[in-house]
Amino acid sequence: MLPNAALKPVYDKVEWVWVYRDFTGSDADRMAERISIRCGVTGWPGLLFLDAATLQVTGAAEREVDDFVANVESAKGGKGGAGLAAWREAEKKAAELHAAPTAEKSEKLLGDVDIVVKTLALRIVVKQGPAMIAARATELLAVANDAFRYEVLDALSAAPDPKATPALEVLLKDPGESRNPNVVRCRSAKALGKCGGEASIAALAPGTKAAPNNGLTGISVDAIVEIAQRNKGASETARKALVDAYPEPSEDKWMKPMAVTLAKKVHEALGKVTGKKGAKFPEVYDAKGREELMKGW
Amino acid sequence: MIAAPYVFVFAVAASVALADSSNPPPGAPWTKDFGAALEAASKSGKPVFLYFTKTY
């Protein structure tokens, strides 16, 4: 027991599990990886509570001692072996996949109910037959697990396929249940830029109008340019969307330079899409300057 | 410079210095056996607390 008077009373309130990843691919590391997938951990350190009865993460813990103690005191757990049985079943399937990572098995397990099995299967499918990802994009992007969806979206960006376009447009509009909806939108926009067609520009346009400090704006602008460069017939649609994407100038000390940076990005994007030079970017990006830039295209 | 995973450890036990993060600090009854923790928690009804760390 630690000689810490504040922590000692909660030592027996939870089961304490240390999950260490060294990325060696050893048995211990792969076990830690599976636990991380199950809990949706994408950054370190992570401090989470899990209900063993449901295998669901119930909350995060803070690092300050007083806050941490309060978190432990309020954390809930349930009795019953359902979670343990589900975990054992998932571990069995994971071991089978590891021993024989066949396309047939991974495609089947891509539809498994367990997020760890599903994720491990996805990683094999991405290596062996990424076309399957686009074919099942609607199903895979509906999974309410951010880390899993990030991997699906990254796979679609790496191996673009127009078949994924409808699912990407839906996800971009509504990320659904998510801890990080903006990140889901950003990755969706990136993938849509690679998979989408002219009609996708309408889905991307709202993202260009997010706050200038939101990464979604730049990603959406880039995605529109990609679509226009891939589909020459989409240039006019892209031009209209981008002209509309010049951000409102800001007087806010912090936001102002970001609005200017975004405006310059939009300006450059319009040059790429139209093949023209456009008006000279003004020394001062204000309402008048914005209007002149918009008229220039 | 103190590595990130040690911040928590220092917060909960300021007097404990760790050589690396591959093993848990002394004090709380840590386990690295997730299955055993799940089994115990499913019987006791206690929540499972997981500390995720990695090599730096």
Side-chain angles (χ1 to χ4, degrees), chain A residues 4 15-17 19 46 48 50 65, chain B residues 11-12 26 31 48-50 52-53:
Chain A
N4 187 309
E15 299 293 339
W16 299 68
V17 182
V19 186
L48 299 173
L50 177 132
V65 172
Chain B
V12 295
T31 179
V48 178
F49 169 64
L50 300 112
F52 293 88
T53 186

Side-chain angles (χ1 to χ4, degrees), chain A residues 29-86:
Chain A
D29 182 53
R30 286 189 297 105
M31 167 64 87
E33 179 186 31
R34 294 193 296 276
I35 302 168
S36 302
I37 294 169
R38 183 168 304 289
C39 296
V41 172
T42 54
W44 292 269
L47 291 74
L48 299 173
F49 294 106
L50 177 132
D51 181 349
T54 63
L55 281 184
Q56 297 298 309
V57 171
T58 56
E62 291 157 279
R63 296 193 215 178
E64 294 298 324
V65 172
D66 290 348
D67 294 333
F68 178 78
V69 168
N71 294 150
V72 171
E73 294 284 5
S74 62
K76 304 282 184 214
K79 286 185 182 178
L84 182 63

